[in-house]
Amino acid sequence: MKYTVITGASSGIGYETALAFAARGKNLIIAARRTEELEHLKSNVLSMYPDLDVIVFTVDLSITSNAHDFYESLKNYEIETWINNAGFGNFASVGEQNLYKIETMLHLNIEALTVLSSLYVRDYANVEGTQLINISSGGGYTIVADAVTYCASKFYVSAFTEGLAQELKNKGQAMQAKVLAPAATETEFAKRSMDLEEFEYEGAMPKYHTAKEMAGFLISLYDSEKVVGIVDGETYDFHLKDPIYPYVSRQKN
């Protein structure tokens, strides 16, 4: 039995992505910090697709050792697709940002993603049909004012994933690595980024996508042979692209 792993599945893009993969008949391993929301997602999936297996893991991946332990706990499952969606943002100038929050963000956005990606590649790079999809941001290709550190973390995600995709291809390995770069999406992202109790996208944002729409874009990326799925920050059109960053192959003597 094969599984799709989705981190950050308790809400937003992760939640809707779980529903989208369930609609494809994929068994799920869903992970996040909030057990109640994960159990709600599991119930929702099973109410529509009772033959699927849905496994819940409560884990705080901002603690790097938890990322190692989480992966190790999945050794008995065959993982077809791994989606690193867990992450959060921050809006503040560099000189005024809350460093505790920033440290946590970097642990989650960069360290956990790198650990989980590396372990998955180590075990599955040569397994036909496997995919690793990392969630970056439009801010992983454009620096946004008052979100410099967040964007830098997502530049890392984009560069790491594009470089990994090139590496896998150059080695002739079966796994595909891909990166999704959303623009503004109606999720809990804005609330956590700005430390707000509530945030209404309607009226506050001139353009945005719903989490369900973004999950649909992710499925389009999953189905394609392209490496990057990116939302145009001006038109909000979605595009599938080859790697965007320059890549220099190491010359062998």
Side-chain angles (χ1 to χ4, degrees), residues 121-197:
V121 170
R122 188 173 297 173
D123 287 343
Y124 288 90
N126 290 307
V127 179
E128 286 294 333
T130 55
Q131 290 197 36
L132 169 70
I133 302 177
N134 287 331
I135 309 305
S136 181
S137 166
Y141 293 93
T142 302
I143 300 172
V144 179
D146 287 329
V148 170
T149 310
Y150 167 71
C151 289
S153 77
K154 291 300 189 178
F155 265 69
Y156 176 89
V157 173
S158 297
F160 172 78
T161 312
E162 286 194 19
L164 172 58
Q166 302 271 23
E167 186 177 283
L168 292 167
K169 182 179 179 182
N170 288 349
K171 289 184 175 182
Q173 293 175 306
M175 180 185 291
Q176 293 178 283
K178 300 175 180 179
V179 57
L180 181 73
T185 307
E186 190 178 23
T187 66
E188 295 180 359
F189 175 85
K191 286 199 302 181
R192 191 164 187 197
S193 298
M194 294 183 277
D195 298 313
L196 300 173
E197 289 295 322

Side-chain angles (χ1 to χ4, degrees), residues 141 159 162-163 166 243-249:
Y141 293 93
E162 286 194 19
Q166 302 271 23
I244 293 170
Y245 285 128
Y247 181 79
V248 180
S249 297

Side-chain angles (χ1 to χ4, degrees), residues 60-110:
D60 182 357
L61 292 171
S62 68
I63 300 169
T64 306
S65 61
N66 289 353
H68 286 274
D69 293 342
F70 171 57
Y71 188 86
E72 189 64 29
S73 69
L74 303 182
K75 286 292 188 179
N76 292 329
Y77 300 98
E78 185 179 355
I79 301 169
E80 182 180 41
T81 305
W82 190 292
I83 301 170
N84 282 314
N85 170 70
F88 68 90
N90 185 70
F91 287 105
S93 67
V94 171
E96 297 174 343
Q97 60 191 4
N98 176 336
L99 282 179
Y100 174 76
K101 182 180 178 184
I102 292 299
E103 289 166 11
T104 305
M105 182 184 77
L106 297 178
H107 290 319
L108 183 59
N109 291 12
I110 294 177

Side-chain angles (χ1 to χ4, degrees), residues 26-45:
K26 304 295 186 182
N27 299 303
L28 302 174
I29 296 172
I30 51 176
R33 293 173 302 135
R34 297 178 294 179
T35 307
E36 187 175 343
E37 283 81 354
L38 290 174
E39 291 291 350
H40 179 268
L41 172 56
K42 178 178 179 177
S43 297
N44 196 3
V45 169

